Amino acid sequence: MTASAEIICVGTELLLGDILNSNAQFLGQQLAKLGIPHYYQTVVGDNRLRIQKTIAIACERSQLLIFTGGLGPTPDDLTHEAIAEFFDSPLVERPEIIETIRQRYAHRNPQSISPSNDKQARIPQGANILPNPIGSAPGIIWEARPGLTILTFPGVPREMQVMWEETAVPYLQSHGLSQFTIYSRMLRYWGIPEATLSDTVKSFFDLENPTVAPYASNGEVRLRISAKADSQDAAMQIIAPIEEQIKALTSEDCFGVDDETLASAVATLLMQSDHTISVAESCTGGGLGHLLTTQAGSSAYFKGGIIAYSNSVKINLLGVSEADLAREGAVSETVAKQMAVGVRSALESTWGLSITGIAGPGGGSEDKPVGLVYFGIAGPDQVVFYRRVFASFRGRDWIRWLSACTALDLLRRLYMEKRK
């Protein structure tokens, strides 16, 4: 029987919601890739007794316990102490850990070395050290009893991830805990409702290997295609034909795969065409420019932006007609198009992209409700506009986010149309 894993995240700050539990998400994804069954996750505060009660329950149903958090030098870092006491094993001080900590701190800042750091050098007797290449807190790999393996990691996500990849994965694979691979591809969509996308690809939801499942988050819809196989290459071969069939059905609604974003998709199109872009923003206040510049090397295609909140800036910097502003208002088709034309001319870019809208919570009317947004795109041979009304109940930041992302998607789709 394949060993099943359980994730135990230690930290009162997690219970209070002060910190997002990204460690559990990462570990869940990694266990799936290794083909290790994973049925339970627990979050427990910094309390020795409650940690031990959690261990007691986990031992009855799982064979691999993975802990994150509680390995620091302070009194409330109790993970190793709680584990050792539960299994009636003494804590022993490992000199090599002390030396590593002192060398690391001495190199960075000799004054920061504290006797309390020695606490991190005490681990349960018989446990192996799980090295931490970029932090002070090592973890452990310990077969606490036959058929039960314990791995511990610090709560700092980057440290945990490096330790997992460099030491934990090879250990799990070499000790037969990883029986097969589950590999996934994530197809990413914008501008299509989840229900519509699901209806389009519903025939794929009954597949057993690979499986296809939809997800919706922050205005984006995703289709996850997952396959189980003996290796990642074999899983990819299972996924490939299904991915191609879905892409053929969903066409330009799919903007990317896995870690690709709307910004990276637009960046690719601009660089392939040797084009540049500039932006004129009103209600998004720089959000569109921010998305474009998240890409490394964005200076190759992004000229800059003008945040034109006031009408005077629209008139003086973008050349928007004062008469049109007075007659139609700042949130209008005419102004969106003139903003796009103006920023393209002012910054001498191939494309000008504009946003003007009502993000709320006030400022709306019956004719122009909160959530109304106009987009303008000015290119080498055309000027177009788009109108969208976003639901206002989720608030101002939501409308601004949707507006910035939708602007990128509209430009992407315009490129796609030109290629047909």
PDB file of all heavy atoms in Angstrom, residues 338-351:
ATOM      1  N   GLN A 338      -9.712  59.043 -27.899  1.00  0.00           N
ATOM      2  CA  GLN A 338      -8.786  60.163 -27.968  1.00  0.00           C
ATOM      3  C   GLN A 338      -7.615  59.980 -26.997  1.00  0.00           C
ATOM      4  O   GLN A 338      -6.481  60.380 -27.306  1.00  0.00           O
ATOM      5  CB  GLN A 338      -9.528  61.465 -27.672  1.00  0.00           C
ATOM      6  CG  GLN A 338     -10.485  61.883 -28.780  1.00  0.00           C
ATOM      7  CD  GLN A 338     -11.199  63.187 -28.486  1.00  0.00           C
ATOM      8  OE1 GLN A 338     -10.732  64.004 -27.687  1.00  0.00           O
ATOM      9  NE2 GLN A 338     -12.347  63.392 -29.119  1.00  0.00           N
ATOM     10  N   MET A 339      -7.859  59.374 -25.853  1.00  0.00           N
ATOM     11  CA  MET A 339      -6.768  59.094 -24.920  1.00  0.00           C
ATOM     12  C   MET A 339      -5.760  58.120 -25.527  1.00  0.00           C
ATOM     13  O   MET A 339      -4.543  58.290 -25.395  1.00  0.00           O
ATOM     14  CB  MET A 339      -7.326  58.522 -23.613  1.00  0.00           C
ATOM     15  CG  MET A 339      -8.059  59.524 -22.739  1.00  0.00           C
ATOM     16  SD  MET A 339      -8.887  58.745 -21.305  1.00  0.00           S
ATOM     17  CE  MET A 339      -7.475  58.106 -20.382  1.00  0.00           C
ATOM     18  N   ALA A 340      -6.257  57.092 -26.204  1.00  0.00           N
ATOM     19  CA  ALA A 340      -5.367  56.119 -26.831  1.00  0.00           C
ATOM     20  C   ALA A 340      -4.550  56.752 -27.946  1.00  0.00           C
ATOM     21  O   ALA A 340      -3.338  56.519 -28.061  1.00  0.00           O
ATOM     22  CB  ALA A 340      -6.187  54.944 -27.367  1.00  0.00           C
ATOM     23  N   VAL A 341      -5.210  57.552 -28.769  1.00  0.00           N
ATOM     24  CA  VAL A 341      -4.505  58.242 -29.851  1.00  0.00           C
ATOM     25  C   VAL A 341      -3.475  59.205 -29.275  1.00  0.00           C
ATOM     26  O   VAL A 341      -2.334  59.300 -29.754  1.00  0.00           O
ATOM     27  CB  VAL A 341      -5.509  58.998 -30.747  1.00  0.00           C
ATOM     28  CG1 VAL A 341      -4.774  59.907 -31.724  1.00  0.00           C
ATOM     29  CG2 VAL A 341      -6.391  58.018 -31.500  1.00  0.00           C
ATOM     30  N   GLY A 342      -3.870  59.924 -28.220  1.00  0.00           N
ATOM     31  CA  GLY A 342      -2.985  60.923 -27.636  1.00  0.00           C
ATOM     32  C   GLY A 342      -1.729  60.335 -27.023  1.00  0.00           C
ATOM     33  O   GLY A 342      -0.622  60.855 -27.220  1.00  0.00           O
ATOM     34  N   VAL A 343      -1.874  59.244 -26.291  1.00  0.00           N
ATOM     35  CA  VAL A 343      -0.689  58.668 -25.645  1.00  0.00           C
ATOM     36  C   VAL A 343       0.206  57.993 -26.674  1.00  0.00           C
ATOM     37  O   VAL A 343       1.436  58.008 -26.559  1.00  0.00           O
ATOM     38  CB  VAL A 343      -1.090  57.690 -24.516  1.00  0.00           C
ATOM     39  CG1 VAL A 343      -1.577  56.342 -25.049  1.00  0.00           C
ATOM     40  CG2 VAL A 343       0.075  57.492 -23.557  1.00  0.00           C
ATOM     41  N   ARG A 344      -0.382  57.418 -27.710  1.00  0.00           N
ATOM     42  CA  ARG A 344       0.432  56.828 -28.782  1.00  0.00           C
ATOM     43  C   ARG A 344       1.280  57.894 -29.462  1.00  0.00           C
ATOM     44  O   ARG A 344       2.467  57.682 -29.755  1.00  0.00           O
ATOM     45  CB  ARG A 344      -0.484  56.155 -29.808  1.00  0.00           C
ATOM     46  CG  ARG A 344       0.247  55.574 -31.005  1.00  0.00           C
ATOM     47  CD  ARG A 344      -0.719  54.832 -31.929  1.00  0.00           C
ATOM     48  NE  ARG A 344       0.002  54.226 -33.039  1.00  0.00           N
ATOM     49  CZ  ARG A 344       0.119  54.769 -34.264  1.00  0.00           C
ATOM     50  NH1 ARG A 344      -0.485  55.930 -34.518  1.00  0.00           N
ATOM     51  NH2 ARG A 344       0.810  54.154 -35.202  1.00  0.00           N
ATOM     52  N   SER A 345       0.674  59.062 -29.699  1.00  0.00           N
ATOM     53  CA  SER A 345       1.397  60.157 -30.343  1.00  0.00           C
ATOM     54  C   SER A 345       2.441  60.767 -29.413  1.00  0.00           C
ATOM     55  O   SER A 345       3.584  60.996 -29.812  1.00  0.00           O
ATOM     56  CB  SER A 345       0.405  61.231 -30.797  1.00  0.00           C
ATOM     57  OG  SER A 345       1.075  62.358 -31.305  1.00  0.00           O
ATOM     58  N   ALA A 346       2.043  61.003 -28.168  1.00  0.00           N
ATOM     59  CA  ALA A 346       2.946  61.665 -27.227  1.00  0.00           C
ATOM     60  C   ALA A 346       4.188  60.836 -26.928  1.00  0.00           C
ATOM     61  O   ALA A 346       5.294  61.369 -26.789  1.00  0.00           O
ATOM     62  CB  ALA A 346       2.194  61.980 -25.931  1.00  0.00           C
ATOM     63  N   LEU A 347       4.019  59.522 -26.831  1.00  0.00           N
ATOM     64  CA  LEU A 347       5.145  58.657 -26.463  1.00  0.00           C
ATOM     65  C   LEU A 347       5.708  57.885 -27.650  1.00  0.00           C
ATOM     66  O   LEU A 347       6.608  57.062 -27.476  1.00  0.00           O
ATOM     67  CB  LEU A 347       4.715  57.693 -25.354  1.00  0.00           C
ATOM     68  CG  LEU A 347       4.237  58.356 -24.060  1.00  0.00           C
ATOM     69  CD1 LEU A 347       3.984  57.309 -22.988  1.00  0.00           C
ATOM     70  CD2 LEU A 347       5.231  59.387 -23.568  1.00  0.00           C
ATOM     71  N   GLU A 348       5.178  58.173 -28.822  1.00  0.00           N
ATOM     72  CA  GLU A 348       5.706  57.623 -30.076  1.00  0.00           C
ATOM     73  C   GLU A 348       5.813  56.099 -30.029  1.00  0.00           C
ATOM     74  O   GLU A 348       6.876  55.510 -30.274  1.00  0.00           O
ATOM     75  CB  GLU A 348       7.070  58.251 -30.399  1.00  0.00           C
ATOM     76  CG  GLU A 348       6.998  59.752 -30.583  1.00  0.00           C
ATOM     77  CD  GLU A 348       8.354  60.358 -30.913  1.00  0.00           C
ATOM     78  OE1 GLU A 348       9.378  59.729 -30.573  1.00  0.00           O
ATOM     79  OE2 GLU A 348       8.387  61.438 -31.513  1.00  0.00           O
ATOM     80  N   SER A 349       4.704  55.456 -29.733  1.00  0.00           N
ATOM     81  CA  SER A 349       4.662  54.003 -29.659  1.00  0.00           C
ATOM     82  C   SER A 349       3.814  53.442 -30.795  1.00  0.00           C
ATOM     83  O   SER A 349       3.024  54.163 -31.418  1.00  0.00           O
ATOM     84  CB  SER A 349       4.075  53.560 -28.319  1.00  0.00           C
ATOM     85  OG  SER A 349       2.789  54.121 -28.111  1.00  0.00           O
ATOM     86  N   THR A 350       3.961  52.147 -31.045  1.00  0.00           N
ATOM     87  CA  THR A 350       3.160  51.498 -32.078  1.00  0.00           C
ATOM     88  C   THR A 350       1.691  51.465 -31.690  1.00  0.00           C
ATOM     89  O   THR A 350       0.808  51.673 -32.525  1.00  0.00           O
ATOM     90  CB  THR A 350       3.646  50.054 -32.308  1.00  0.00           C
ATOM     91  OG1 THR A 350       5.065  50.031 -32.416  1.00  0.00           O
ATOM     92  CG2 THR A 350       3.013  49.470 -33.560  1.00  0.00           C
ATOM     93  N   TRP A 351       1.456  51.207 -30.406  1.00  0.00           N
ATOM     94  CA  TRP A 351       0.094  51.080 -29.896  1.00  0.00           C
ATOM     95  C   TRP A 351      -0.126  52.031 -28.719  1.00  0.00           C
ATOM     96  O   TRP A 351       0.781  52.250 -27.907  1.00  0.00           O
ATOM     97  CB  TRP A 351      -0.175  49.659 -29.412  1.00  0.00           C
ATOM     98  CG  TRP A 351      -0.152  48.626 -30.493  1.00  0.00           C
ATOM     99  CD1 TRP A 351       0.924  47.905 -30.910  1.00  0.00           C
ATOM    100  CD2 TRP A 351      -1.252  48.225 -31.314  1.00  0.00           C
ATOM    101  NE1 TRP A 351       0.569  47.067 -31.931  1.00  0.00           N
ATOM    102  CE2 TRP A 351      -0.753  47.241 -32.204  1.00  0.00           C
ATOM    103  CE3 TRP A 351      -2.598  48.588 -31.383  1.00  0.00           C
ATOM    104  CZ2 TRP A 351      -1.566  46.619 -33.146  1.00  0.00           C
ATOM    105  CZ3 TRP A 351      -3.409  47.965 -32.322  1.00  0.00           C
ATOM    106  CH2 TRP A 351      -2.894  47.000 -33.193  1.00  0.00           C
TER     107      TRP A 351
END
